[in-house]
Amino acid sequence: MFKWLDPYAKPQTLFNLLGRWQRVLMPLGWLLLAIGTVWGLGFTPPDYQQGDSYRIIHIHVPAAIWSMGAYSSMAIAAFIALVWQIKVAQWAIGAMAPIGAVFTAIALWTGAAWGEPMWGTWWVWDARLTSELILLFLYLGVIALQNAFSEQATGDKAAAVLALVGVVNLPIIHYSVEWWNTLHQGATITKFAKPSIDPSMLWPLLICIVALGVLFGALVCQRLRTSILRHEQHRPWVRQWAQEQA
Amino acid sequence: MGSVYLQTLRRDFRLMTRQKSDWLNPLMFFLIVLTLFPLGIGAKPNLLREIAPGIIWIAALLSVLLGSERLFRQDYKDGVLEQLVAARAPLFPYVLAKISASWCASGLPLLLMSPLMALLLGLDSKAYWAMVGTLIIGTPLLSLLSALGAALTLSAEKGGILLALVILPLYIPLLIFASAAVEQAGFGLGYSAQLAVLGAMLCVALAGVPFAVQHALKLNVG
Amino acid sequence: MSNFAFNSMAEFWAMGGYGFYVWLSFGLSLVALLLLWWTGRQGEKHFRSQLTQRLSREARVRAHQQQSSSVQESADESTS
C-alpha cells in the first residue's frame, strides 16, 4: 500500500501529475456536462407523471451523489493522512471541502426547486433532505475548523479527524430512506438490474453523473495544486516553477 | 492505566467541588432555556406537552455544549496536557477520566433534574420514563461528542462558536431519536426501537471517540 | 439520441409550465459550478503573483546587498 502511495506523496511529483490530469479532466468534465444537460433538457421525452419538471433530476441527482462521493473521498484522504501521515492527503481535504459543500448546496437547492411544483412546498423535513442539510453543516464545520488555527498544520490535522468522524453520518444519510417512510420518492437508479427509469431517460442522467464526477476530480486537482504550492512555497522547486511560468 | 484514570477522576472531582460555577452554570442555563420556551410560546399545556421532548433535548444539547468548552482548556493552559504528551504517558485513561467526570458534571445532574422538567412541561408518567431512558443512554453520548469537539478546537482562536459549529451536526441523530422516543411514549406507543438505536450509537461512540479525542489532543499540543 | 422533445423554442423555455423551476435550478447550479472553477483559478493566479513578487523582491534585496558591499569594499580600498 505504502509503496503504491509513495510517489503520489511527494508534493512535486503529485503537483506535475495533477497538472496533467487537470488539463484532461477539466475540458472533459465541462463537455460531458454540456452534453448531458442539453440531452436531458431537450431530447428526452417528458415524464408521464411529473411532466417537464423531472428534468431537474439531471443536475439534482448527480449533485446529491457527488456531495456524498466528495465526502467519502475526503474521509479516505483523512484516513490516509492520519494513518500514513501523508501531508498531501491533509491538503486534499482542504481542496475537497469547498467543492463538496457547493455540490451539497446545489443538491439542496435543486431539490427545493423540484419539490415546490411536485409536493407544493420548497422544503419538507424529510429524512433525506435533512441528512443532506446535515452534510452541508459537516462540510462547513470542516472548512471552519481548518481555518481556525494560527498554525495551518494543526488546522489541517484537526479537519482530518473531523472528516473521519463525520463519515459516520454518511451511512445514516444513505439508509435514512429505508428508516423513515416519508414523502421523498425512493432512489431512482440504485437497482441497476431493474431501473425504475426508462433507458432513454437514463443515458443523459448517467452522463451527467459521470460529468459531475469528472468535474469534481478536475476542480480538486486545481485547488490541490494551489494548496501544494502554498504549503511548499519556500522549496526550491516552487521557485523554479515560478521562474518557468514567468 | 487504572491509576492514571483514578487520579485524573479524583482531581477533576476535587476541582468540581472547588469551582462550582463550572458545572452549575450550564445547569442554570438549561433551566432558564426550559423556562424561556413556555414564555415564548405561551402557557398552552397541550402544545407544551407535545413539543416537550424537543425542548428538553435541545436545551440539554446546548447546556452540555456550553459546559464542554472548558473541559480540556484548563489542562491545556497550565501545561498538564503538554506534560502528559511529552512524558509519553498513556493519554487514553486520562481521556476516559475526563469524559466520565464531564458526564458526572453535566449528564448526571440533568438526569436528577428530570422530575423537575416533567413537572414544568407537564409530561405524563409514560413520557417521563421514556425521557429518563433516553437521558441515561443519551447524555453519555453527549459527553463523548462534546469532549471530541473540545479536543478538536482546543488551540483554535475562535473557540466557543467554532465548537458549536463543529459538534452540533454530530448531535443531530441523537436529538432525532431521543425526542422521537419521548414522543412515541407520549402517544402510548413502544419506543424500544429508538432506545436500541441510541444504544447502538452510544456503543459506536464509546468504541471510537476516545481514540479520536486522544489524537485530537496530541495534535493540538504537539 | 431521440428527437427534440419540444415543438418550438418557446415551449422549450416554458418547460411545460415548469420553466421557472427548471431554469432556476439549472441556472444557479451552473453559476455555482462556474464560481467554483473561477475561484480556484483566481486562487492560483493570486498565489502566483504573490510568489513572483516575493521572488523579485528577494532578488532586488540580494542585488542591493551585493552592490552596497562592493561599494563598501571600494571605499575601504580608497582609505587604505
Side-chain angles (χ1 to χ4, degrees):
Chain A
M1 179 73 188
F2 195 80
K3 237 178 192 166
W4 176 80
L5 272 174
D6 201 38
Y8 299 97
K10 200 173 168 237
Q12 189 187 355
T13 327
L14 186 68
F15 177 80
N16 293 327
L17 210 62
L18 288 174
R20 240 172 290 150
W21 287 346
Q22 189 195 338
R23 269 194 293 281
V24 178
L25 291 180
M26 194 68 92
L28 185 69
W30 287 115
L31 183 72
L32 281 175
L33 191 64
I35 294 173
T37 43
V38 168
W39 190 350
L41 277 172
F43 297 91
T44 54
D47 188 72
Y48 76 103
Q49 268 182 327
Q50 308 197 348
D52 286 314
S53 75
Y54 97 96
R55 293 178 197 281
I56 295 176
I57 202 175
H58 297 106
I59 193 74
H60 174 71
V61 166
I65 287 177
W66 286 109
S67 66
M68 288 175 235
Y71 205 92
S72 326
S73 2
M74 216 165 77
I76 291 169
F79 186 77
I80 293 172
L82 290 177
V83 173
W84 288 286
Q85 300 287 323
I86 294 173
K87 288 216 173 70
V88 183
Q90 286 170 15
W91 305 340
I93 296 169
M96 287 171 186
I99 304 170
V102 169
F103 278 20
T104 315
I106 289 178
L108 281 171
W109 171 246
T110 53
W114 194 3
E116 160 63 16
M118 286 302 108
W119 305 331
T121 169
W122 291 95
W123 182 260
V124 209
W125 285 102
D126 145 277
R128 259 219 291 213
L129 277 82
T130 314
S131 311
E132 192 75 8
L133 191 64
I134 300 171
L135 186 65
L136 182 63
F137 293 154
L138 284 174
Y139 274 120
L140 296 182
V142 169
I143 296 171
L145 189 63
Q146 189 163 38
N147 296 320
F149 295 84
S150 53
E151 198 147 335
Q152 184 61 51
T154 313
D156 288 341
K157 284 181 203 154
V161 176
L162 184 62
L164 213 52
V165 170
V167 86
V168 177
N169 191 49
L170 274 176
I172 298 179
I173 290 176
H174 195 78
Y175 292 111
S176 55
V177 180
E178 283 132 75
W179 285 354
W180 289 297
N181 204 7
T182 47
L183 265 174
H184 205 293
Q185 57 199 4
T188 316
I189 48 163
T190 44
K191 294 163 275 173
F192 269 102
K194 215 176 155 194
S196 57
I197 183 172
D198 191 73
S200 67
M201 297 175 170
L202 183 64
W203 276 110
L205 180 58
L206 283 181
I207 291 177
C208 280
I209 291 172
V210 173
L212 231 56
V214 171
L215 210 54
F216 170 70
L219 289 168
V220 170
C221 288
Q222 189 187 37
R223 272 160 200 269
L224 187 53
R225 260 165 69 92
T226 318
S227 183
I228 289 175
L229 284 179
R230 189 158 283 147
H231 283 92
E232 299 265 294
Q233 56 178 306
H234 296 291
R235 300 282 163 99
W237 72 266
V238 177
R239 285 157 187 265
Q240 213 170 6
W241 173 83
Q243 274 154 9
E244 279 165 23
Q245 294 289 311
Chain B
M1 165 135 184
S3 70
V4 175
Y5 177 81
L6 285 178
Q7 270 170 9
T8 316
L9 205 60
R10 212 172 298 140
R11 190 179 61 109
D12 269 29
F13 279 132
R14 199 172 299 147
L15 283 176
M16 262 189 259
T17 54
R18 287 186 192 159
Q19 303 171 340
K20 295 189 183 62
S21 66
D22 271 10
W23 55 278
L24 274 176
N25 284 358
L27 291 179
M28 285 198 281
F29 171 81
F30 176 79
L31 270 183
I32 291 173
V33 171
L34 275 196
T35 325
L36 286 183
F37 271 97
L39 290 177
I41 295 165
K44 305 169 191 121
N46 284 331
L47 179 63
L48 273 182
R49 199 171 304 131
E50 212 172 297
I51 60 171
I55 296 176
I56 290 170
W57 268 100
I58 290 174
L61 298 185
L62 293 179
S63 78
V64 171
L65 187 74
L66 200 69
S68 69
E69 207 208 324
R70 306 178 57 89
L71 190 52
F72 296 110
R73 183 81 10 129
Q74 214 160 12
D75 285 357
Y76 174 68
K77 273 194 177 149
D78 60 20
V80 170
L81 263 173
E82 210 170 359
Q83 290 302 321
L84 278 174
V85 171
R88 298 186 186 283
L91 265 184
F92 195 73
Y94 165 81
V95 168
L96 276 185
K98 274 293 193 185
I99 295 172
S100 323
S102 98
W103 181 75
C104 291
S106 61
L108 196 58
L110 284 185
L111 207 59
L112 297 178
M113 269 162 55
S114 59
L116 189 60
M117 305 176 215
L119 282 179
L120 280 176
L121 297 171
L123 286 180
D124 56 23
S125 70
K126 267 185 191 155
Y128 171 70
W129 286 112
M131 190 181 71
V132 170
T134 57
L135 279 174
I136 288 176
I137 304 177
T139 46
L141 190 55
L142 275 185
S143 297
L144 280 163
L145 289 176
S146 46
L148 178 65
L152 275 176
T153 59
L154 192 55
S155 68
E157 259 121 68
K158 308 141 203 157
I161 200 76
L162 180 73
L163 175 62
L165 197 61
V166 163
I167 220 65
L168 279 179
L170 299 178
Y171 281 163
I172 290 171
L174 169 64
L175 174 68
I176 291 172
F177 283 105
S179 41
V182 182
E183 209 177 298
Q184 294 260 313
F187 292 138
L189 300 167
Y191 52 88
S192 52
Q194 280 84 352
L195 281 189
V197 172
L198 281 179
M201 290 200 281
L202 179 61
C203 290
V204 170
L206 263 178
V209 167
F211 291 101
V213 172
Q214 197 181 349
H215 193 88
L217 286 177
K218 268 185 200 156
L219 68 88
N220 268 290
V221 172
Chain C
M1 212 185 252
S2 50
N3 290 328
F4 195 50
F6 302 91
N7 294 323
S8 67
M9 275 322 270
E11 261 183 46
F12 176 63
W13 293 119
M15 278 285 156
Y18 298 117
F20 173 68
Y21 303 107
V22 173
W23 296 116
L24 197 66
S25 42
F26 273 88
L28 276 180
S29 307
L30 187 66
V31 167
L33 288 176
L34 282 174
L35 265 180
L36 261 184
W37 171 72
W38 187 75
T39 49
R41 222 173 68 120
Q42 256 351 71
E44 195 184 329
K45 270 190 183 170
H46 182 71
F47 174 76
R48 199 189 293 170
S49 73
Q50 258 185 341
L51 186 68
T52 45
Q53 244 174 22
R54 209 193 64 210
L55 288 182
S56 71
R57 187 170 167 276
E58 277 172 17
R60 277 203 308 275
V61 169
R62 218 176 300 125
H64 181 74
Q65 276 170 349
Q66 272 173 359
Q67 205 180 19
S68 58
S69 66
S70 62
V71 168
Q72 192 69 39
E73 274 164 26
S74 57
D76 289 347
E77 277 166 23
S78 62
T79 49
S80 64

